[in-house]
């Protein structure tokens, strides 16, 4: 089994004639698309236009994806590859060209009065949702001149504020005293990583150093966040949305009532997470509640790191096969056909991700496998994303994009399969470590995300009238954390500056990039609960659900497995699974 992926199915190299040919082809398709969009008139025949659009736009999407992914995947395994880097940029330029023509087409479609439902029963039936979504989008696009002004001003507005924040954070350092009493200056990222240290004193000092460091840049960071959020408020209003949240929800294909129901359920289950944090304080030998700086303290000695890569592959394939042979065989194929780049080597990016390549009905997974159980789980997680892509691949390529709340469905589902199996086989010590890792990360996704959602809601409300001072931002953050963590954490030692360090708050395109995490985890857990209830008859429905995620609203996707997302009991059932883990952990 190879530990490097093979990209030949895309291109054999940047110098290959196929690569050059596709670059040229994308340009000519873009030109054809522009011409087509410019020639649409009142006299044009609608069915023909829609058909031509689907064909042309699908070709462009497939070509763009193929070229971009080849450049990007090549770059990720060798960040010194200058050629790859320059092609990433040139394909992005081509993509922007397509977007300009898209806007014209979308505006025309929205103004045409066309009802996509009339396509029912025709060979374009599967594109009804796609057209409906375009029309909704079209209703929020402004006139050409205004759009031009907005996109130019965004570059010198929110994008520049985001860059400034990046510069502030990446050059920020903190002073920290070492074990032997010397003072050291370290980048903030290294100081933050000390939150995972085994040494309690190091964790505390790192936290104190972090807070001191933030005070140096709080005024500048507050200016950034006020500008970025202020711009979002103005744009949402101009585009005819009632709020920034409504704009985000529309993009995510869901209604507000769903998040309200989900957070109502979460509120009911917060006491169980708090009990876990109190237990953690006890395990660390504290007489008081858990201070924020001990939130990530290791309390278990961890599972032994004893998986070879082929053992990991076998473990995953075996466990996946207990769910369905289709999932098992899919993973086997990915391992055997060099879809996974697993080895750690210089020049390769860190972390892990999965890229679904719809143009060739395959996927590629990047990982940095170190033999630990954690990394086995990571590969299982990424294979979940790949399987999601596989289920989607029988759609037209325009129906393969799913919204962020559904993005983690298959990955967390696969992780759950692996975790349950590993727990069954583990001795007491390893079981404790697996449970702890799982509960701790669920705590971040449920409790911390809830605090971030509360904070961002309060921030937008206050920003409507005036910019917030650093003190006000810290106050709002503390209020949100108190409400979410309750008596689980020491209310005198929270983290007032999370608004300053979390990058999500500074990306103008990522407003409210918090609830999708909680949604993703609980939706996947809820599906797993359904699977344990209904057994093997669930697998086919589950695969069908994944295949439909690109062409239905979130509510309608859930309906496939008879789930009503406005029913609080669905969310409670998912939370019940985490509660069971917490109870087991407390007992162990
Ligand atoms: Zn993921």
């Amino acid at each position: 089994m190879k530990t490097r992926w093979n990209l030949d199915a895309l291109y054999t190299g940047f110098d290959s004639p196929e690569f050059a040919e596709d670059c040229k082809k994308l340009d000519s398709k873009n030109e054809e698309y522009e011409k087509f969009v410019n020639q649409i008139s009142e006299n044009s025949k609608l069915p023909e236009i829609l058909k031509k659009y689907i064909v042309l736009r699908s070709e462009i999407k497939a070509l763009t994806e193929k070229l971009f992914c080849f450049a990007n995947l090549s770059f990720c395994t060798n960040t010194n590859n200058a050629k790859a880097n320059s092609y990433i940029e040139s394909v992005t330029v081509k993509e922007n060209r397509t977007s300009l023509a898209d806007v014209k087409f979308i505006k025309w479609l929205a103004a045409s009065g066309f009802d996509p439902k009339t396509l029912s029963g025709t060979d374009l039936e599967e594109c009804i949702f796609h057209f409906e979504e375009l029309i909704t989008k079209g209703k929020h696009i402004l006139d050409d001149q205004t759009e031009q002004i907005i996109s130019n001003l965004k570059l010198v507005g929110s994008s520049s504020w985001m860059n400034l924040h990046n510069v502030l954070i990446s050059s920020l350092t903190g002073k920290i005293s070492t074990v032997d009493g010397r003072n050291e200056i370290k980048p903030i990222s290294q100081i933050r990583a000390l939150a995972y240290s085994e040494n309690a004193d190091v964790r505390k000092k790192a936290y104190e150093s972090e807070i001191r460091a933030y005070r140096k840049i709080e005024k500048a960071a507050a200016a950034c966040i006020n500008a970025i959020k202020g711009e979002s408020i103005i744009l949402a209003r101009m585009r005819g949305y009632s709020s920034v949240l409504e704009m985000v929800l529309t993009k995510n294909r869901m209604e507000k009532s769903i998040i309200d129901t989900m957070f109502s359920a979460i509120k009911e289950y917060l006491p169980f997470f708090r009990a876990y944090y109190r237990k953690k304080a006890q395990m660390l030998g504290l007489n008081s509640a858990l201070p924020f700086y001990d939130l990530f303290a290791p309390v278990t000695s961890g599972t032994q790191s004893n998986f070879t890569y082929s053992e990991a592959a076998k473990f995953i394939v075996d466990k996946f096969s207990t769910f369905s042979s289709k999932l098992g065989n899919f993973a086997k194929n990915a391992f055997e056909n060099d879809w996974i780049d697993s080895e750690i080597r210089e020049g390769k990016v860190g972390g892990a991700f999965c890229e679904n390549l719809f143009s060739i009905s395959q996927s590629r997974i990047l990982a940095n496998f170190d033999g630990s159980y954690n990394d086995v789980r990571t590969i299982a997680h990424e294979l979940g994303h790949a399987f999601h892509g596989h289920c989607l691949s029988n759609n037209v390529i325009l129906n393969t994009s799913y919204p962020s709340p559904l993005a983690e469905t298959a990955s967390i589902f696969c992780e759950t399969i692996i975790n349950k199996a590993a727990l069954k086989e583990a001795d007491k010590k390893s079981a404790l470590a697996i449970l702890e890792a799982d509960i701790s990360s669920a705590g971040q996704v449920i409790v911390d995300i809830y605090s971030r959602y509360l904070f961002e809601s309060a921030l937008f409300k206050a920003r409507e009238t005036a910019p917030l001072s650093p003190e006000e931002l810290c106050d709002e953050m503390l209020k949100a954390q108190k409400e979410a963590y309750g008596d689980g954490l020491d209310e005198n030692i929270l983290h007032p500056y999370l608004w300053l360090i979390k990058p999500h708050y500074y990306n103008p395109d990522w407003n409210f990039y918090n609830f999708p995490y909680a949604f993703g985890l609980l939706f996947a857990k809820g599906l797993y609960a359904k699977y344990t209830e209904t057994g093997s008859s669930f697998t086919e429905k589950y695969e069908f659900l994944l295949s439909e995620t690109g062409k239905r609203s979130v509510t309608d996707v859930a309906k496939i497995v008879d789930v009503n997302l406005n029913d609080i009991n669905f969310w409670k059932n998912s939370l019940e699974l985490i509660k069971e883990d917490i109870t087991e952990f407390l007992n162990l």
Side-chain angles (χ1 to χ4, degrees):
M1 203 175 305
K2 293 200 186 98
T3 53
R4 290 187 184 203
W5 61 30
N6 186 329
L7 301 180
D8 287 356
L10 288 168
Y11 302 102
T12 50
F14 291 110
D15 302 326
S16 69
E18 290 81 9
F19 187 84
E21 216 168 88
D22 278 355
C23 279
K24 254 203 330 249
K25 199 169 164 197
L26 179 55
D27 285 335
S28 80
K29 286 289 162 191
N30 258 334
E31 210 177 300
E32 195 184 339
Y33 183 44
E34 282 161 358
K35 240 193 202 152
F36 157 73
V37 170
N38 286 330
Q39 277 169 359
I40 299 176
S41 70
E42 281 160 31
N43 305 324
S44 309
K45 282 200 179 119
L46 200 65
E48 274 150 45
I49 293 177
L50 299 181
K51 245 179 241 173
K52 172 114 199 224
Y53 162 81
I54 291 290
V55 172
L56 203 48
R57 195 60 187 82
S58 298
E59 279 179 311
I60 291 175
K61 186 164 171 149
L63 277 167
T64 309
E65 179 208 89
K66 214 175 157 194
L67 290 165
F68 182 84
C69 289
F70 182 69
N72 191 43
L73 295 176
S74 303
F75 180 77
C76 287
T77 47
N78 175 15
T79 50
N80 297 318
N81 189 336
K83 221 174 205 175
N85 201 17
S86 87
Y87 276 115
I88 290 175
E89 213 176 295
S90 77
V91 180
T92 309
V93 171
K94 295 184 206 293
E95 220 177 348
N96 288 342
R97 185 176 168 188
T98 316
S99 313
L100 288 176
D102 277 343
V103 170
K104 274 196 176 166
F105 179 76
I106 292 168
K107 278 176 69 178
W108 169 80
L109 190 69
S112 71
F114 160 67
D115 177 8
K117 292 259 184 320
T118 55
L119 293 175
S120 177
T122 70
D123 50 357
L124 283 179
E125 185 166 15
E126 62 172 332
C127 298
I128 291 177
F129 182 83
H130 178 73
F131 286 127
E132 281 175 344
E133 198 165 46
L134 290 187
I135 289 171
T136 309
K137 211 171 171 183
K139 287 183 179 147
H140 296 285
I141 296 178
L142 304 165
D143 64 86
D144 290 355
Q145 204 190 355
T146 312
E147 285 295 345
Q148 193 64 49
I149 294 172
I150 289 175
S151 74
N152 287 337
L153 286 185
K154 267 184 94 166
L155 286 176
V156 291
S158 56
S159 302
S160 301
W161 289 107
M162 179 172 70
N163 285 343
L164 173 61
H165 179 257
N166 276 337
V167 172
L168 286 170
I169 297 299
S170 58
S171 54
L172 186 64
T173 55
K175 201 197 276 180
I176 188 163
S177 57
T178 56
V179 190
D180 52 15
R182 281 178 303 115
N183 273 332
E184 246 181 66
I185 307 281
K186 285 186 172 183
I188 204 71
S189 57
Q190 280 182 27
I191 293 177
R192 274 172 67 72
L194 296 174
Y196 298 88
S197 165
E198 283 177 9
N199 185 322
D201 193 45
V202 170
R203 293 195 299 270
K204 184 165 183 273
K205 278 189 179 144
Y207 166 84
E208 288 164 353
S209 155
E210 207 191 323
I211 301 285
R212 277 197 308 273
Y214 295 148
R215 289 205 183 105
K216 293 188 285 192
I217 57 162
E218 61 175 8
K219 284 202 176 89
C224 295
I225 204 170
N226 278 306
I228 292 163
K229 296 306 182 194
E231 186 189 275
S232 292
I233 292 170
I234 294 170
L235 288 181
R237 203 178 295 143
M238 282 175 76
R239 295 193 184 286
Y241 294 101
S242 64
S243 64
V244 173
L245 183 59
E246 197 208 345
M247 182 165 73
V248 174
L249 285 165
T250 308
K251 197 170 138 199
N252 281 313
R253 302 175 183 165
M254 63 190 274
E255 316 98 69
K256 172 133 192 314
S257 61
I258 297 175
I259 346 183
D260 290 342
T261 312
M262 178 181 80
F263 279 125
S264 296
I266 285 178
K267 266 199 250 177
E268 280 186 44
Y269 279 76
L270 289 174
F272 302 103
F273 288 95
R274 293 170 184 164
Y276 156 72
Y277 293 127
R278 285 198 299 275
K279 181 76 187 176
K280 185 157 181 171
Q282 222 181 59
M283 288 169 85
L284 290 167
L286 300 169
N287 292 320
S288 54
L290 193 70
F292 195 94
Y293 51 73
D294 281 339
L295 200 51
F296 305 104
V299 285
T300 50
S301 49
T303 48
Q304 298 102 330
S305 76
N306 54 0
F307 282 88
T308 63
Y309 185 55
S310 52
E311 279 166 357
K314 188 178 179 314
F315 185 78
I316 291 171
V317 171
D318 285 353
K319 304 312 170 203
F320 277 10
S321 302
T322 62
F323 175 72
S324 76
S325 54
K326 198 168 164 189
L327 181 63
N329 289 334
F330 175 80
K332 193 164 180 252
N333 175 64
F335 281 111
E336 284 173 359
N337 288 298
D338 314 328
W339 285 18
I340 307 173
D341 201 292
S342 63
E343 72 173 11
I344 300 173
R345 62 179 182 274
E346 221 186 284
K348 182 175 160 179
V349 296
F353 67 80
C354 167
E355 190 74 71
N356 289 330
L357 310 165
F358 295 105
S359 55
I360 56 169
S361 298
Q362 294 185 16
S363 296
R364 289 296 179 274
I365 288 167
L366 181 137
N368 283 278
F369 183 73
D370 68 0
S372 67
Y373 169 70
N374 245 349
D375 280 359
V376 178
R377 192 170 52 185
T378 300
I379 293 182
H381 176 107
E382 300 309 335
L383 278 166
H385 284 301
F387 187 67
H388 191 171
H390 171 71
C391 291
L392 276 165
S393 63
N394 50 3
N395 286 285
V396 291
I397 198 165
L398 294 178
N399 281 342
T400 55
S401 317
Y402 40 82
S404 47
L406 295 175
E408 297 299 328
T409 308
S411 55
I412 296 175
F413 194 92
C414 280
E415 240 187 84
T416 313
I417 295 175
I418 290 293
N419 254 350
K420 295 276 171 204
L423 266 178
K424 248 190 216 163
E425 292 172 16
D427 56 35
K428 195 173 156 182
K429 202 177 125 202
S430 304
L432 201 65
I434 295 171
L435 275 174
E436 215 267 327
D438 221 24
I439 299 166
S440 170
S441 85
Q444 280 297 294
V445 176
I446 303 297
V447 189
D448 203 69
I449 285 290
Y450 180 48
S451 79
R452 292 188 223 176
Y453 176 74
L454 290 173
F455 168 78
E456 197 158 353
S457 304
L459 168 59
F460 272 117
K461 197 169 164 223
R463 184 65 190 87
E464 288 270 351
T465 34
L468 287 83
S469 67
E471 295 75 33
E472 287 170 316
L473 287 161
C474 287
D475 280 351
E476 289 296 353
M477 186 49 90
L478 289 177
K479 240 202 281 178
Q481 286 171 356
K482 277 180 197 162
E483 198 166 333
Y485 285 97
D487 59 359
L489 288 188
D490 183 342
E491 63 166 11
N492 298 312
I493 312 173
L494 296 167
H495 199 311
Y497 283 103
L498 281 189
W499 61 268
L500 190 150
I501 191 66
K502 293 279 177 201
H504 289 153
Y505 296 126
Y506 295 84
N507 188 320
D509 297 320
W510 287 357
N511 289 310
F512 285 102
Y513 204 76
N514 32 54
F515 71 83
Y517 284 104
F519 183 102
L521 177 73
L522 294 178
F523 186 59
K525 291 250 178 213
L527 293 186
Y528 194 83
K530 284 241 154 208
Y531 161 58
T532 45
E533 263 168 44
T534 48
S536 58
S537 66
F538 179 77
T539 55
E540 228 167 88
K541 262 188 174 179
Y542 169 74
E543 282 157 17
F544 179 61
L545 176 146
L546 292 179
S547 75
E548 292 283 301
T549 46
K551 53 181 185 211
R552 290 187 194 220
S553 71
V554 170
T555 303
D556 287 344
V557 166
K559 274 186 192 156
I560 294 172
V561 285
D562 310 314
V563 166
N564 173 4
L565 294 174
N566 284 303
D567 176 5
I568 194 165
N569 289 317
F570 169 73
W571 302 103
K572 281 192 188 171
N573 282 341
S574 306
L575 286 153
E576 197 61 33
L577 289 178
I578 305 174
K579 182 190 148 189
E580 278 168 19
D581 284 349
I582 295 176
T583 315
E584 200 181 334
F585 176 76
L586 296 180
N587 290 338
L588 276 171

